[in-house]
Each structure stands twice: as structure tokens, then as C-alpha cells.
Amino acid sequence: MSKIKPSKGAPYARILGVGGYRPTRVVPNEVILETIDSSDEWIRSRSGIETRHWASAEETVAAMSIEASGKAIADAGISAEQIGGVIVSTVSHFKQTPAVATEIADKLGTNKAAAFDISAGCAGFGYGLTLAKGMIVEGSAEYVLVIGVERLSDLTDLEDRATAFLFGDGAGAVVVGPSKEPAIGPTVWGSEGDKSETIKQTVPWTDYREGSVAKFPAITQEGQAVFRWAVFEMAKVAQQALDAAGITPDDLDVFIPHQANERIIDSMVKTLKLPEHVTVARDVRTTGNTSAASIPLAMERLLATGEAKSGDTALVIGFGAGLVYAATVVTLP
């Protein structure tokens, strides 16, 4: 018989607060058109994107995360000292070690919180949310900060017509804490590594270091293959998340998909047959694709504008490089 005592965590977990940070510089499509042969109409019709935000030198991954996290902590009504874990999802923090989460945990004033980074691309927020839920239910932390943050402008090839217009920068954060009732559903997640070539970094950092390539590494993708996968396969995953939570599309109030492309969002809404009363996040129009940051940023904007309200039931789904995905149903803070 095991001598280990059972954990004393909370029965359930929930999102208690949300915060976001968008860099001050707003970049319209006209700026992108300076380096690619395209048009504003083409970009809008293919992606829905009108503007995006690009970070300045001072708006680092850590700085943006701290701004978003401070808002989330205040929104949750707790203090930084109560945070027991900090999870940061990002693919654009260029210092391999230490994890940027440790710097963020310290500068926020946590009491030596567990802190680590994860790399799960555009599904990173869902991965982090699932890990935070486990920590709270298991009892290793009472409150966990989950951050999605990117400076994708650093990884954008402005001469690549397929991707130059897509990416933006920003940070979104949520505080996850204990709940007496289910408020974060089961996660449906996974990966399809056989399709990893469809979204990838152009070359390894070592190739650039050794001088075998002159161009700084960037993110590239096979647009049509990604579109087909996201529309057809991710709609199935979204439905599985609804089934796992025991609800139907009629029970939903809000749909917050990864803000990759408005055409993908529209196709998923149609495939899932979402009722007209469901509010659909379309933050991609003015924020662009911010990868791991896109879901919490979209959530924060919906709540701030009143398009969604506290207590609403929302389906969230992220999908991207890997190819990885994660979907779950949550109660909004």
C-alpha cells in the first residue's frame, strides 16, 4: 500500500481574471504592401486582417507579459503573492534559458512561484490552461497564471507573400484558481507530427549561426494545406470538446477560436452549425495572428467591449505548428 498522502487540491478550477497587452504601434496593411506584391483588398478577403500591432524594442516578451498579467491578477481580485505557478506559452522568446516565466514571476512579485515556458504554437494557451487546471486540482498551487505571448514580428519574413501580412505581437494572460463547480471542461488535445512541415521555422538557428544561410529564420507555412486541416479537422476537435463537456452548440454563448484567419473562423462556425446567438471572436481583424496570445487577447476584448459577459459558456480552440491542437469549454470570468 502506498504511503503517499492524497493531494488536497480544489474540486474544480476556473478562470478568475483576464488581461491583455497590445503594442502601441498599429501597422495597417499598407505597410505590409511595401515589401510584397499584393493589395489591401486581397489581404482582407483572404484573412480578414486590417491592422496588426508590432512591438518596439522596449516591448519585450517579458514586458508585454508583465503588463497583461498585472491586469489579469487585478481582474481576479488576488495579489501576486498568491500566485503559485506561472506558465508562459511562446515561440518567440529568443533566450533558450532561463525560461522567461522565471523573470516574469519575479518581477510580478510572486512568492517563488513555480515557473516554466512551453512551446505549443497557436495551441499553447490551451495547453497552459490544461496544465494550470491540473496543478490546482492536484493541489500544488492555489492560483496559476497562464500567459500566451508572442513577438512574431521578429519571425516574419516581410518578403514572403504567404505570411508577411499574418502575424502580430501581443500578450494575453489569465489567472486560474479554485472552483466549487466545473468551469473548465475536459481538454481534447493532440498532435499530428506527420504534418509538421506545413507550418515551420524556415531553418534551424544553427544554420544561421554557422553562416550556411544569410537570412534570419522566419515562420513559413503551406497556406492551403493549413486551411484545409484547420477547417475540417479542427471542427471535429471542437465538436469533441463540446461532447466532452456534455453540452451542445445551442448551450454556447461564445466561440473563441485561435485568431488565425477569418475565413477559417467563418468555416468552423458553419461546420459546427453554431446558432446566431453565439458571439464569435474576430479579434484577428485588428490584432492579426498572435499565435499563443490570440485566444486570451480575444477573450479580454470580448469582455471589455461587453460582447461577452461574466458567466458565459465559451468554446475555445487553438491549433497550429506541430501540428498541435487543444480545445475545451470554459466559463468566462
Side-chain angles (χ1 to χ4, degrees), residues 91 94 155 196-197 199-206 217-220 321:
V91 298
F94 292 155
L155 285 169
S196 61
E197 289 296 301
I199 307 174
K200 64 180 182 179
Q201 184 172 305
T202 49
V203 294
W205 299 112
T206 48
I219 296 173
T220 187

Side-chain angles (χ1 to χ4, degrees), residues 265-281:
I265 294 170
D266 288 340
S267 295
M268 291 183 71
V269 168
K270 183 177 180 180
T271 302
L272 288 167
K273 298 179 180 177
L274 295 184
E276 289 188 6
H277 75 261
V278 176
T279 298
V280 180

Side-chain angles (χ1 to χ4, degrees), residues 139-154:
S140 61
E142 185 176 11
Y143 299 99
V144 178
L145 183 64
V146 180
I147 303 165
V149 57
E150 302 291 3
R151 274 183 54 118
L152 293 181
S153 58
D154 292 333

